[in-house]
Amino acid sequence: MKSLLFKFSFIIFLICLGLHQETKSIIDSYGYSDSDDFQGQAFYVSKSKMELGRWGERLSEAQKKQIEARLKNRLEKEYILTFNKEEAIFYEDEKLDAMSGATDSWGKNFSPGKQYKNVKTNTQIQSQEFYGKKFLVKDKLQDINWKLGKETKQIGNYMCFKATASIPTNELAWYDFSWSRLRNTDNANETESDSTSASNETSDIEMTEVEAWYSPQIPVGHGPLEYWGLPGLILEVSAGNTTMLCTKIVLNPKEKLEITAPDKGKEITKKEYQKTIVEKMKEFRNNRMGRRRG
């Protein structure tokens, strides 16, 4: 019996060793297992579903398609992620908008700017422009408690594994704005002195469910937008009504890629930036209501 158990354990050991060697050979084949010069670029396409709410129920299918066509430059975007082992820079590829002449001045106030991440120092630096004023948002990386799954799927030439997480919506899209956030701020101000209400508000935080697919074949902890911290590059991520998919990867290009953090604008944290947006939108709302009364 002991002999049988020993043989079985030895077989398991050989299988595990074989898997380890296979993974190592995949990594070595790309030539970056121990290289400090490892670099790459990932190209993403982002698509969002149009949400019209109750107002949309009164529209015909033709009207919905017409609105969707007008909002295409906001619903479909392309991004580039340039990365090495520790650093990454992520930004929107605006070539298509420039070629078509499409502009979205309102949407650009609430879109993510050029984003620098450093997974070693837990640092994020992002340039944002809000109604003509430039900000340099410096903060730590988004805390994400990933749950690693066993499901796999092929994305291009890469085998990917599934991971899921639940992230506070306000923290995930801190550069964005919604009128519901403004209403929540108004309610919080009204009940600020009530500690019981404050504790209830904390328990009712809106969460966004995130599904990501990462590939250990590219062993870096980077990803698009706020996403990072998985044992492989994130090639696909879905959150809310938006899905972002990697369509092309270039590893170790001949010309060295530069990763430089943004450095212009008023320094501010994510929470301070959110507060700035809310205060400005309150001002717009109050001015509009004042004109109506007048």
Side-chain angles (χ1 to χ4, degrees):
M1 185 67 181
K2 288 183 179 179
S3 176
L4 182 62
L5 287 173
F6 174 78
K7 289 180 180 179
F8 180 75
S9 301
F10 184 67
I11 291 172
I12 293 295
F13 170 76
L14 290 176
I15 292 174
C16 292
L17 180 62
L19 289 173
H20 172 74
Q21 293 297 334
E22 181 181 356
T23 302
K24 188 176 184 302
S25 65
I26 290 173
I27 294 172
D28 288 343
S29 67
Y30 287 103
Y32 55 76
S33 59
D34 296 310
S35 173
D36 292 332
D37 297 328
F38 165 61
Q39 292 184 315
Q41 276 191 319
F43 298 80
Y44 295 85
V45 172
S46 172
K47 292 189 177 183
S48 300
K49 295 179 181 177
M50 185 175 61
E51 294 183 351
L52 298 175
R54 293 182 179 179
W55 179 71
E57 296 175 359
R58 296 175 291 179
L59 302 176
S60 66
E61 289 301 317
Q63 289 173 320
K64 291 179 181 178
K65 288 182 179 179
Q66 188 177 18
I67 294 172
E68 190 171 357
R70 289 179 179 177
L71 295 176
K72 185 175 181 180
N73 64 320
R74 188 182 293 188
L75 297 173
E76 297 182 12
K77 294 180 178 293
E78 295 187 1
Y79 297 90
I80 299 173
L81 177 71
T82 302
F83 58 88
N84 56 35
K85 280 187 172 183
E86 298 175 358
E87 302 172 288
I89 191 83
F90 178 79
Y91 56 93
E92 182 180 349
D93 185 358
E94 298 180 332
K95 290 179 182 178
L96 291 179
D97 283 356
M99 292 173 62
S100 65
T103 57
D104 183 11
S105 56
W106 171 264
K108 284 193 176 297
N109 288 306
F110 310 109
S111 298
K114 183 171 285 189
Q115 179 196 78
Y116 168 87
K117 292 201 291 274
N118 189 313
V119 297
K120 184 177 181 179
T121 61
N122 191 28
T123 303
Q124 179 172 324
I125 303 174
Q126 188 160 322
S127 62
Q128 290 293 134
E129 186 169 340
F130 186 68
Y131 284 96
K133 188 170 183 178
K134 293 184 178 181
F135 294 89
L136 192 65
V137 185
K138 290 188 175 183
D139 218 314
K140 66 177 184 177
L141 298 175
Q142 173 65 47
D143 291 327
I144 305 177
N145 183 22
W146 291 109
K147 294 181 180 178
L148 304 184
K150 296 181 180 180
E151 295 178 56
T152 63
K153 74 173 180 179
Q154 193 83 7
I155 298 179
N157 297 323
Y158 300 92
M159 177 63 69
C160 296
F161 293 83
K162 183 179 178 180
T164 57
S166 185
I167 306 173
T169 304
N170 281 356
E171 294 181 17
L172 193 60
W174 54 268
Y175 47 80
D176 201 354
F177 171 79
S178 66
W179 291 107
S180 60
R181 182 184 297 173
L182 186 59
R183 289 191 293 270
N184 291 339
T185 304
D186 290 337
N187 294 335
N189 290 336
E190 291 174 4
T191 60
E192 191 173 0
S193 60
D194 189 342
S195 60
T196 304
S197 298
S199 63
N200 289 338
E201 182 185 345
T202 303
S203 63
D204 293 334
I205 294 175
E206 181 183 353
M207 306 294 285
T208 294
E209 300 304 317
V210 178
E211 178 182 296
W213 294 87
Y214 66 95
S215 176
Q217 288 175 251
I218 310 176
V220 295
H222 300 304
L225 294 175
E226 302 299 296
Y227 309 109
W228 72 287
L230 286 168
L233 182 66
I234 298 173
L235 300 188
E236 182 180 335
V237 61
S238 299
N241 67 337
T242 301
T243 295
M244 188 168 286
L245 176 66
C246 180
T247 58
K248 178 183 176 183
I249 295 176
V250 178
L251 297 177
N252 290 331
K254 292 181 180 179
E255 294 186 11
K256 187 172 182 179
L257 302 169
E258 289 191 11
I259 299 177
T260 306
D263 58 1
K264 295 180 180 179
K266 178 184 176 182
E267 290 193 16
I268 197 170
T269 65
K270 293 177 184 177
K271 285 187 177 180
E272 289 169 344
Y273 185 76
Q274 274 193 350
K275 185 178 179 181
T276 299
I277 292 179
V278 169
E279 292 300 321
K280 190 64 176 179
M281 297 309 292
K282 277 185 181 180
E283 183 182 326
F284 288 157
R285 180 192 62 181
N286 295 338
N287 289 341
R288 186 175 60 180
M289 291 176 65
R291 286 196 298 268
R292 287 180 179 178
R293 289 169 184 169

PDB file of all heavy atoms in Angstrom, residues 245-272:
ATOM      1  N   LEU A 245     -12.049  44.813 -25.081  1.00  0.00           N
ATOM      2  CA  LEU A 245     -11.397  43.619 -25.610  1.00  0.00           C
ATOM      3  C   LEU A 245     -10.091  43.980 -26.296  1.00  0.00           C
ATOM      4  O   LEU A 245     -10.027  44.920 -27.081  1.00  0.00           O
ATOM      5  CB  LEU A 245     -12.320  42.919 -26.613  1.00  0.00           C
ATOM      6  CG  LEU A 245     -11.748  41.695 -27.338  1.00  0.00           C
ATOM      7  CD1 LEU A 245     -11.489  40.547 -26.362  1.00  0.00           C
ATOM      8  CD2 LEU A 245     -12.688  41.256 -28.454  1.00  0.00           C
ATOM      9  N   CYS A 246      -9.043  43.212 -25.986  1.00  0.00           N
ATOM     10  CA  CYS A 246      -7.746  43.399 -26.631  1.00  0.00           C
ATOM     11  C   CYS A 246      -7.788  42.755 -28.018  1.00  0.00           C
ATOM     12  O   CYS A 246      -8.134  41.581 -28.161  1.00  0.00           O
ATOM     13  CB  CYS A 246      -6.642  42.761 -25.791  1.00  0.00           C
ATOM     14  SG  CYS A 246      -4.998  42.942 -26.494  1.00  0.00           S
ATOM     15  N   THR A 247      -7.443  43.526 -29.052  1.00  0.00           N
ATOM     16  CA  THR A 247      -7.492  43.045 -30.426  1.00  0.00           C
ATOM     17  C   THR A 247      -6.119  42.786 -31.025  1.00  0.00           C
ATOM     18  O   THR A 247      -5.999  42.142 -32.060  1.00  0.00           O
ATOM     19  CB  THR A 247      -8.231  44.062 -31.313  1.00  0.00           C
ATOM     20  OG1 THR A 247      -7.560  45.331 -31.237  1.00  0.00           O
ATOM     21  CG2 THR A 247      -9.677  44.227 -30.853  1.00  0.00           C
ATOM     22  N   LYS A 248      -5.076  43.307 -30.358  1.00  0.00           N
ATOM     23  CA  LYS A 248      -3.723  43.143 -30.908  1.00  0.00           C
ATOM     24  C   LYS A 248      -2.696  43.317 -29.803  1.00  0.00           C
ATOM     25  O   LYS A 248      -2.869  44.164 -28.925  1.00  0.00           O
ATOM     26  CB  LYS A 248      -3.488  44.190 -32.009  1.00  0.00           C
ATOM     27  CG  LYS A 248      -2.105  44.158 -32.641  1.00  0.00           C
ATOM     28  CD  LYS A 248      -1.962  45.278 -33.662  1.00  0.00           C
ATOM     29  CE  LYS A 248      -0.564  45.348 -34.254  1.00  0.00           C
ATOM     30  NZ  LYS A 248      -0.414  46.485 -35.206  1.00  0.00           N
ATOM     31  N   ILE A 249      -1.633  42.502 -29.841  1.00  0.00           N
ATOM     32  CA  ILE A 249      -0.545  42.598 -28.867  1.00  0.00           C
ATOM     33  C   ILE A 249       0.793  42.606 -29.605  1.00  0.00           C
ATOM     34  O   ILE A 249       1.019  41.789 -30.503  1.00  0.00           O
ATOM     35  CB  ILE A 249      -0.582  41.429 -27.870  1.00  0.00           C
ATOM     36  CG1 ILE A 249      -1.848  41.495 -27.003  1.00  0.00           C
ATOM     37  CG2 ILE A 249       0.649  41.453 -26.965  1.00  0.00           C
ATOM     38  CD1 ILE A 249      -2.007  40.338 -26.063  1.00  0.00           C
ATOM     39  N   VAL A 250       1.652  43.532 -29.234  1.00  0.00           N
ATOM     40  CA  VAL A 250       3.014  43.593 -29.783  1.00  0.00           C
ATOM     41  C   VAL A 250       3.979  43.500 -28.611  1.00  0.00           C
ATOM     42  O   VAL A 250       3.961  44.333 -27.710  1.00  0.00           O
ATOM     43  CB  VAL A 250       3.249  44.913 -30.551  1.00  0.00           C
ATOM     44  CG1 VAL A 250       4.687  44.962 -31.063  1.00  0.00           C
ATOM     45  CG2 VAL A 250       2.262  45.055 -31.694  1.00  0.00           C
ATOM     46  N   LEU A 251       4.815  42.457 -28.610  1.00  0.00           N
ATOM     47  CA  LEU A 251       5.775  42.252 -27.535  1.00  0.00           C
ATOM     48  C   LEU A 251       7.194  42.540 -28.012  1.00  0.00           C
ATOM     49  O   LEU A 251       7.583  42.154 -29.120  1.00  0.00           O
ATOM     50  CB  LEU A 251       5.689  40.808 -27.016  1.00  0.00           C
ATOM     51  CG  LEU A 251       4.361  40.406 -26.374  1.00  0.00           C
ATOM     52  CD1 LEU A 251       4.399  38.941 -25.972  1.00  0.00           C
ATOM     53  CD2 LEU A 251       4.040  41.281 -25.179  1.00  0.00           C
ATOM     54  N   ASN A 252       7.955  43.223 -27.163  1.00  0.00           N
ATOM     55  CA  ASN A 252       9.350  43.543 -27.437  1.00  0.00           C
ATOM     56  C   ASN A 252       9.581  44.082 -28.854  1.00  0.00           C
ATOM     57  O   ASN A 252      10.308  43.468 -29.657  1.00  0.00           O
ATOM     58  CB  ASN A 252      10.238  42.311 -27.200  1.00  0.00           C
ATOM     59  CG  ASN A 252      10.346  41.974 -25.732  1.00  0.00           C
ATOM     60  OD1 ASN A 252      10.253  42.840 -24.875  1.00  0.00           O
ATOM     61  ND2 ASN A 252      10.530  40.698 -25.445  1.00  0.00           N
ATOM     62  N   PRO A 253       8.962  45.225 -29.183  1.00  0.00           N
ATOM     63  CA  PRO A 253       9.184  45.818 -30.511  1.00  0.00           C
ATOM     64  C   PRO A 253      10.638  46.262 -30.672  1.00  0.00           C
ATOM     65  O   PRO A 253      11.357  46.448 -29.690  1.00  0.00           O
ATOM     66  CB  PRO A 253       8.239  47.031 -30.519  1.00  0.00           C
ATOM     67  CG  PRO A 253       8.046  47.368 -29.073  1.00  0.00           C
ATOM     68  CD  PRO A 253       8.100  46.064 -28.336  1.00  0.00           C
ATOM     69  N   LYS A 254      11.077  46.421 -31.924  1.00  0.00           N
ATOM     70  CA  LYS A 254      12.470  46.788 -32.187  1.00  0.00           C
ATOM     71  C   LYS A 254      12.809  48.146 -31.587  1.00  0.00           C
ATOM     72  O   LYS A 254      13.886  48.341 -31.031  1.00  0.00           O
ATOM     73  CB  LYS A 254      12.726  46.784 -33.698  1.00  0.00           C
ATOM     74  CG  LYS A 254      12.658  45.389 -34.326  1.00  0.00           C
ATOM     75  CD  LYS A 254      12.947  45.449 -35.813  1.00  0.00           C
ATOM     76  CE  LYS A 254      12.885  44.053 -36.428  1.00  0.00           C
ATOM     77  NZ  LYS A 254      13.134  44.097 -37.900  1.00  0.00           N
ATOM     78  N   GLU A 255      11.891  49.101 -31.738  1.00  0.00           N
ATOM     79  CA  GLU A 255      12.111  50.425 -31.167  1.00  0.00           C
ATOM     80  C   GLU A 255      11.634  50.458 -29.718  1.00  0.00           C
ATOM     81  O   GLU A 255      10.528  50.018 -29.419  1.00  0.00           O
ATOM     82  CB  GLU A 255      11.372  51.486 -31.986  1.00  0.00           C
ATOM     83  CG  GLU A 255      11.902  51.655 -33.393  1.00  0.00           C
ATOM     84  CD  GLU A 255      11.240  52.814 -34.118  1.00  0.00           C
ATOM     85  OE1 GLU A 255      10.536  53.603 -33.448  1.00  0.00           O
ATOM     86  OE2 GLU A 255      11.422  52.915 -35.338  1.00  0.00           O
ATOM     87  N   LYS A 256      12.469  50.976 -28.834  1.00  0.00           N
ATOM     88  CA  LYS A 256      12.136  51.002 -27.418  1.00  0.00           C
ATOM     89  C   LYS A 256      10.954  51.933 -27.161  1.00  0.00           C
ATOM     90  O   LYS A 256      10.886  53.048 -27.684  1.00  0.00           O
ATOM     91  CB  LYS A 256      13.343  51.453 -26.595  1.00  0.00           C
ATOM     92  CG  LYS A 256      13.122  51.336 -25.095  1.00  0.00           C
ATOM     93  CD  LYS A 256      14.395  51.611 -24.317  1.00  0.00           C
ATOM     94  CE  LYS A 256      14.154  51.431 -22.823  1.00  0.00           C
ATOM     95  NZ  LYS A 256      15.380  51.677 -22.027  1.00  0.00           N
ATOM     96  N   LEU A 257      10.022  51.467 -26.342  1.00  0.00           N
ATOM     97  CA  LEU A 257       8.825  52.238 -26.013  1.00  0.00           C
ATOM     98  C   LEU A 257       9.078  53.066 -24.758  1.00  0.00           C
ATOM     99  O   LEU A 257       9.636  52.569 -23.779  1.00  0.00           O
ATOM    100  CB  LEU A 257       7.636  51.297 -25.777  1.00  0.00           C
ATOM    101  CG  LEU A 257       7.268  50.377 -26.942  1.00  0.00           C
ATOM    102  CD1 LEU A 257       6.265  49.326 -26.487  1.00  0.00           C
ATOM    103  CD2 LEU A 257       6.685  51.193 -28.097  1.00  0.00           C
ATOM    104  N   GLU A 258       8.658  54.301 -24.787  1.00  0.00           N
ATOM    105  CA  GLU A 258       8.830  55.174 -23.630  1.00  0.00           C
ATOM    106  C   GLU A 258       7.541  55.228 -22.816  1.00  0.00           C
ATOM    107  O   GLU A 258       6.452  55.342 -23.363  1.00  0.00           O
ATOM    108  CB  GLU A 258       9.227  56.590 -24.074  1.00  0.00           C
ATOM    109  CG  GLU A 258      10.629  56.678 -24.623  1.00  0.00           C
ATOM    110  CD  GLU A 258      11.080  58.123 -24.802  1.00  0.00           C
ATOM    111  OE1 GLU A 258      10.382  59.022 -24.302  1.00  0.00           O
ATOM    112  OE2 GLU A 258      12.120  58.330 -25.430  1.00  0.00           O
ATOM    113  N   ILE A 259       7.686  55.105 -21.501  1.00  0.00           N
ATOM    114  CA  ILE A 259       6.546  55.214 -20.585  1.00  0.00           C
ATOM    115  C   ILE A 259       6.832  56.383 -19.651  1.00  0.00           C
ATOM    116  O   ILE A 259       7.685  56.296 -18.768  1.00  0.00           O
ATOM    117  CB  ILE A 259       6.345  53.910 -19.790  1.00  0.00           C
ATOM    118  CG1 ILE A 259       6.067  52.748 -20.750  1.00  0.00           C
ATOM    119  CG2 ILE A 259       5.216  54.067 -18.787  1.00  0.00           C
ATOM    120  CD1 ILE A 259       5.930  51.401 -20.075  1.00  0.00           C
ATOM    121  N   THR A 260       6.134  57.473 -19.871  1.00  0.00           N
ATOM    122  CA  THR A 260       6.348  58.688 -19.092  1.00  0.00           C
ATOM    123  C   THR A 260       5.043  59.115 -18.435  1.00  0.00           C
ATOM    124  O   THR A 260       4.006  59.211 -19.102  1.00  0.00           O
ATOM    125  CB  THR A 260       6.862  59.830 -19.986  1.00  0.00           C
ATOM    126  OG1 THR A 260       8.030  59.390 -20.687  1.00  0.00           O
ATOM    127  CG2 THR A 260       7.197  61.059 -19.159  1.00  0.00           C
ATOM    128  N   ALA A 261       5.079  59.359 -17.149  1.00  0.00           N
ATOM    129  CA  ALA A 261       3.880  59.776 -16.414  1.00  0.00           C
ATOM    130  C   ALA A 261       3.500  61.207 -16.780  1.00  0.00           C
ATOM    131  O   ALA A 261       4.376  62.047 -17.002  1.00  0.00           O
ATOM    132  CB  ALA A 261       4.118  59.670 -14.912  1.00  0.00           C
ATOM    133  N   PRO A 262       2.202  61.516 -16.865  1.00  0.00           N
ATOM    134  CA  PRO A 262       1.773  62.906 -17.073  1.00  0.00           C
ATOM    135  C   PRO A 262       2.305  63.784 -15.951  1.00  0.00           C
ATOM    136  O   PRO A 262       2.476  63.330 -14.817  1.00  0.00           O
ATOM    137  CB  PRO A 262       0.234  62.803 -17.021  1.00  0.00           C
ATOM    138  CG  PRO A 262      -0.079  61.368 -17.272  1.00  0.00           C
ATOM    139  CD  PRO A 262       1.067  60.590 -16.723  1.00  0.00           C
ATOM    140  N   ASP A 263       2.575  65.067 -16.254  1.00  0.00           N
ATOM    141  CA  ASP A 263       3.159  65.933 -15.222  1.00  0.00           C
ATOM    142  C   ASP A 263       2.595  67.353 -15.239  1.00  0.00           C
ATOM    143  O   ASP A 263       3.145  68.252 -14.590  1.00  0.00           O
ATOM    144  CB  ASP A 263       4.683  65.991 -15.382  1.00  0.00           C
ATOM    145  CG  ASP A 263       5.107  66.503 -16.757  1.00  0.00           C
ATOM    146  OD1 ASP A 263       4.221  66.823 -17.577  1.00  0.00           O
ATOM    147  OD2 ASP A 263       6.323  66.584 -17.004  1.00  0.00           O
ATOM    148  N   LYS A 264       1.487  67.570 -15.963  1.00  0.00           N
ATOM    149  CA  LYS A 264       0.926  68.915 -16.036  1.00  0.00           C
ATOM    150  C   LYS A 264      -0.483  68.956 -15.450  1.00  0.00           C
ATOM    151  O   LYS A 264      -1.275  68.044 -15.670  1.00  0.00           O
ATOM    152  CB  LYS A 264       0.901  69.401 -17.486  1.00  0.00           C
ATOM    153  CG  LYS A 264       2.293  69.573 -18.087  1.00  0.00           C
ATOM    154  CD  LYS A 264       2.222  70.062 -19.510  1.00  0.00           C
ATOM    155  CE  LYS A 264       3.615  70.223 -20.092  1.00  0.00           C
ATOM    156  NZ  LYS A 264       3.587  70.691 -21.511  1.00  0.00           N
ATOM    157  N   GLY A 265      -0.740  70.027 -14.708  1.00  0.00           N
ATOM    158  CA  GLY A 265      -2.063  70.204 -14.126  1.00  0.00           C
ATOM    159  C   GLY A 265      -2.009  70.369 -12.615  1.00  0.00           C
ATOM    160  O   GLY A 265      -0.976  70.119 -11.980  1.00  0.00           O
ATOM    161  N   LYS A 266      -3.103  70.791 -12.054  1.00  0.00           N
ATOM    162  CA  LYS A 266      -3.205  70.962 -10.602  1.00  0.00           C
ATOM    163  C   LYS A 266      -3.252  69.603  -9.924  1.00  0.00           C
ATOM    164  O   LYS A 266      -4.101  68.773 -10.230  1.00  0.00           O
ATOM    165  CB  LYS A 266      -4.470  71.755 -10.257  1.00  0.00           C
ATOM    166  CG  LYS A 266      -4.693  71.944  -8.776  1.00  0.00           C
ATOM    167  CD  LYS A 266      -6.016  72.643  -8.501  1.00  0.00           C
ATOM    168  CE  LYS A 266      -6.269  72.737  -6.989  1.00  0.00           C
ATOM    169  NZ  LYS A 266      -7.576  73.386  -6.689  1.00  0.00           N
ATOM    170  N   GLU A 267      -2.336  69.349  -8.983  1.00  0.00           N
ATOM    171  CA  GLU A 267      -2.290  68.062  -8.293  1.00  0.00           C
ATOM    172  C   GLU A 267      -3.486  67.916  -7.356  1.00  0.00           C
ATOM    173  O   GLU A 267      -3.823  68.833  -6.608  1.00  0.00           O
ATOM    174  CB  GLU A 267      -0.980  67.910  -7.513  1.00  0.00           C
ATOM    175  CG  GLU A 267       0.231  67.741  -8.415  1.00  0.00           C
ATOM    176  CD  GLU A 267       1.460  67.288  -7.653  1.00  0.00           C
ATOM    177  OE1 GLU A 267       1.311  66.811  -6.504  1.00  0.00           O
ATOM    178  OE2 GLU A 267       2.569  67.412  -8.204  1.00  0.00           O
ATOM    179  N   ILE A 268      -4.090  66.711  -7.405  1.00  0.00           N
ATOM    180  CA  ILE A 268      -5.319  66.469  -6.677  1.00  0.00           C
ATOM    181  C   ILE A 268      -5.496  64.960  -6.516  1.00  0.00           C
ATOM    182  O   ILE A 268      -4.907  64.184  -7.267  1.00  0.00           O
ATOM    183  CB  ILE A 268      -6.513  67.095  -7.465  1.00  0.00           C
ATOM    184  CG1 ILE A 268      -7.751  67.258  -6.598  1.00  0.00           C
ATOM    185  CG2 ILE A 268      -6.813  66.303  -8.724  1.00  0.00           C
ATOM    186  CD1 ILE A 268      -8.840  68.089  -7.276  1.00  0.00           C
ATOM    187  N   THR A 269      -6.264  64.516  -5.519  1.00  0.00           N
ATOM    188  CA  THR A 269      -6.546  63.090  -5.352  1.00  0.00           C
ATOM    189  C   THR A 269      -7.852  62.741  -6.072  1.00  0.00           C
ATOM    190  O   THR A 269      -8.577  63.623  -6.529  1.00  0.00           O
ATOM    191  CB  THR A 269      -6.689  62.726  -3.867  1.00  0.00           C
ATOM    192  OG1 THR A 269      -7.840  63.393  -3.326  1.00  0.00           O
ATOM    193  CG2 THR A 269      -5.451  63.112  -3.084  1.00  0.00           C
ATOM    194  N   LYS A 270      -8.147  61.448  -6.159  1.00  0.00           N
ATOM    195  CA  LYS A 270      -9.380  61.018  -6.813  1.00  0.00           C
ATOM    196  C   LYS A 270     -10.619  61.571  -6.114  1.00  0.00           C
ATOM    197  O   LYS A 270     -11.547  62.068  -6.761  1.00  0.00           O
ATOM    198  CB  LYS A 270      -9.450  59.482  -6.845  1.00  0.00           C
ATOM    199  CG  LYS A 270      -8.406  58.816  -7.722  1.00  0.00           C
ATOM    200  CD  LYS A 270      -8.515  57.304  -7.621  1.00  0.00           C
ATOM    201  CE  LYS A 270      -7.421  56.605  -8.406  1.00  0.00           C
ATOM    202  NZ  LYS A 270      -7.470  55.132  -8.264  1.00  0.00           N
ATOM    203  N   LYS A 271     -10.637  61.514  -4.781  1.00  0.00           N
ATOM    204  CA  LYS A 271     -11.788  62.024  -4.030  1.00  0.00           C
ATOM    205  C   LYS A 271     -11.941  63.528  -4.199  1.00  0.00           C
ATOM    206  O   LYS A 271     -13.056  64.047  -4.325  1.00  0.00           O
ATOM    207  CB  LYS A 271     -11.658  61.661  -2.543  1.00  0.00           C
ATOM    208  CG  LYS A 271     -11.939  60.199  -2.238  1.00  0.00           C
ATOM    209  CD  LYS A 271     -11.975  59.946  -0.735  1.00  0.00           C
ATOM    210  CE  LYS A 271     -12.341  58.494  -0.445  1.00  0.00           C
ATOM    211  NZ  LYS A 271     -12.378  58.215   1.022  1.00  0.00           N
ATOM    212  N   GLU A 272     -10.818  64.230  -4.202  1.00  0.00           N
ATOM    213  CA  GLU A 272     -10.859  65.683  -4.389  1.00  0.00           C
ATOM    214  C   GLU A 272     -11.357  66.033  -5.793  1.00  0.00           C
ATOM    215  O   GLU A 272     -12.094  67.010  -5.976  1.00  0.00           O
ATOM    216  CB  GLU A 272      -9.476  66.284  -4.153  1.00  0.00           C
ATOM    217  CG  GLU A 272      -9.045  66.257  -2.689  1.00  0.00           C
ATOM    218  CD  GLU A 272      -7.576  66.606  -2.511  1.00  0.00           C
ATOM    219  OE1 GLU A 272      -6.824  66.564  -3.511  1.00  0.00           O
ATOM    220  OE2 GLU A 272      -7.186  66.906  -1.367  1.00  0.00           O
TER     221      GLU A 272
END
